[in-house]
């Protein structure tokens, strides 16, 4: 009995994901070079901000008045 299980090898040849280096923020007046790991077209200063969902809502004005006993 010389059978043994060979593990499959998954060569780790893939480099980490990078984007073209030497890119510059596409904002007109900005010359900030963007990191090649940054997937955005803007630098950190000009990247469009994503607004989180607005919390809360307008205070309802039709709430019941507290009941006096
Ligand atoms: Zn910029």
């Amino acid at each position: 009995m010389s059978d043994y299980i060979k593990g499959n090898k998954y060569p780790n040849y893939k480099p980490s994901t990078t984007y073209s280096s030497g890119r510059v923020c596409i904002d007109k007046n900005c010359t900030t070079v963007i990191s090649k790991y940054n997937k955005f077209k803007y630098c950190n200063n000009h990247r469009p901000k994503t607004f989180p969902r607005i919390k809360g809502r307008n205070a309802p004005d039709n709430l019941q008045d507290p009941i006096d006993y």
Side-chain angles (χ1 to χ4, degrees):
M1 291 286 277
S2 62
D3 291 339
Y4 57 93
I5 299 173
K6 276 185 182 176
N8 287 327
K9 287 187 178 176
Y10 295 98
N12 195 14
Y13 63 91
K14 262 189 165 182
S16 58
T17 304
T18 56
Y19 302 89
S20 56
S21 59
R23 292 172 307 145
V24 177
C25 175
I26 64 174
D27 190 272
K28 287 178 189 174
N29 302 317
C30 184
T31 57
T32 303
V33 178
I34 301 171
S35 163
K36 64 180 175 181
Y37 297 104
N38 188 340
K39 65 181 177 180
F40 298 102
K41 296 172 186 170
Y42 294 91
C43 68
N44 285 330
N45 288 333
H46 297 109
R47 184 189 310 166
K49 290 190 175 73
T50 55
F51 293 99
R53 201 191 294 188
I54 296 173
K55 288 180 182 176
R57 23 188 145 140
N58 294 331
D61 55 2
N62 57 350
L63 285 180
Q64 270 182 288
D65 291 328
I67 298 172
D68 291 327
Y69 285 106

